[in-house]
Amino acid sequence: TNLYTSFTEAVSQKKKLLAILIDPEKFDLENSASFLRNLPVATTHLFVGGSTVPEGMTEHLIKELKLYTAKPILLFPGDVSQITVVANGLLFLSLLSGRNPEYLIEQQIKAVSKLRGSALEVIPTGYILIDGQNVSAVSQVTHTNPMVQNNVQAIVDTAKAGELMGAKLIYLEAGSGAKIPVSAEIISAVKKELNVPLIVGGGIKTEEQINNAYKAGATMIVMGTAFEK
Ligand code: 1GP
């Protein structure tokens, strides 16, 4: 089974995907079973990742989660140390909104020795940080600025460049705990020019925000903070 197919099929069948993000650093392992029992029924995927996760914690968490769920687990790593082959897939991120070579290409080079010989499905993903009206962990850790929401054209062009460079997914990120999520205007403008599925996350809490993002053209929505204890 191919994880990426779940994205392309969702697009062609007009289905919507929902990923719940678990940050290993903020998650109490003892709550795994009950957390998974209480997931929203619409949940299709689990994302695991965070900005600053101690070595080994991600692998430990995923092994635990797999005892209780068959949902596909995708790594959404803040850095190369979080890559573990026990996951089902890896969002191979390049931070296209930033101009820090460490997160554009260096971390990716470092990942190769970890991926060599593994069957982990790697999905090239253009990652675009957009201003969510608070200082995001992504911005702090990567020393990059988010793109401003009112420069829609710059965001569209960045996303399109990512697609032309080979990204199979584009992730529009307002940052975990964002005060405002990525606007519907941005999502639909990007959607209009792109052929690859769109992931949207950061600051999404309400049903209305979820529906707006789907209606604007998101194939997958990611929610983290709303489900953290
Ligand atoms: C962050 O997009 C995710 O990387 C989810 O953000 O925690 O605000 O839901 P929240």
Side-chain angles (χ1 to χ4, degrees):
T1 60
N2 179 318
L3 265 171
Y4 185 63
T5 309
S6 60
F7 288 88
T8 52
E9 280 181 1
V11 174
S12 60
Q13 297 167 10
K14 297 195 182 341
K15 283 189 194 146
K16 300 304 175 191
L17 304 177
L18 175 66
I20 299 302
L21 171 64
I22 303 175
D23 183 341
E25 204 186 17
K26 298 178 187 160
F27 190 78
D28 187 354
L29 266 186
E30 298 198 339
N31 294 334
S32 300
S34 67
F35 182 89
L36 293 168
R37 262 199 310 275
N38 292 310
L39 284 178
V41 283
T43 307
T44 56
H45 296 73
L46 295 171
F47 279 11
V48 174
S51 298
T52 51
V53 180
E55 186 86 44
M57 203 180 256
T58 301
E59 182 163 323
H60 196 61
L61 168 64
I62 292 174
K63 284 180 174 164
E64 180 77 10
L65 294 174
K66 281 184 171 279
L67 299 176
Y68 306 105
T69 183
K71 289 194 196 299
I73 300 177
L74 269 162
L75 291 169
F76 173 51
D79 63 53
V80 64
S81 74
Q82 293 172 41
I83 294 178
T84 161
V85 299
V86 301
N88 299 99
L90 164 67
L91 296 181
F92 202 66
L93 306 167
S94 182
L95 182 62
L96 303 178
S97 52
R99 296 296 176 269
N100 183 348
E102 186 63 31
Y103 295 93
L104 279 163
I105 183 63
E106 292 290 349
Q107 288 282 315
Q108 293 79 353
I109 293 170
K110 291 168 190 161
V112 172
S113 63
K114 287 199 150 190
L115 296 172
R116 193 168 278 130
S118 93
L120 191 66
E121 185 178 336
V122 177
I123 308 177
T125 304
Y127 190 49
I128 301 177
L129 182 65
I130 296 168
D131 185 22
Q133 305 272 285
N134 71 348
V135 181
S136 70
V138 178
S139 176
Q140 284 180 309
V141 169
T142 64
H143 302 290
T144 67
N145 293 321
M147 300 187 78
V148 294
Q149 294 231 10
N150 58 22
N151 199 344
V152 177
Q153 193 62 52
I155 295 169
V156 170
D157 291 356
T158 303
K160 189 66 187 178
E163 180 186 289
L164 293 172
M165 287 194 298
K168 295 280 192 244
L169 295 171
I170 293 292
Y171 191 140
L172 302 175
E173 168 73 272
S176 189
K179 285 209 187 79
I180 55 159
V182 177
S183 72
E185 189 194 347
I186 292 169
I187 298 168
S188 61
V190 171
K191 175 71 185 175
K192 216 184 271 171
E193 286 209 29
L194 263 71
N195 301 307
V196 299
L198 278 188
I199 303 177
V200 177
I204 297 175
K205 293 174 216 74
T206 68
E207 192 123 3
E208 193 189 354
Q209 289 170 328
I210 294 172
N211 291 332
N212 286 345
Y214 282 144
K215 242 189 281 164
T219 291
M220 173 184 273
I221 284 169
V222 184
M223 297 176 81
T225 306
F227 297 99
E228 277 165 18
K229 290 264 161 69

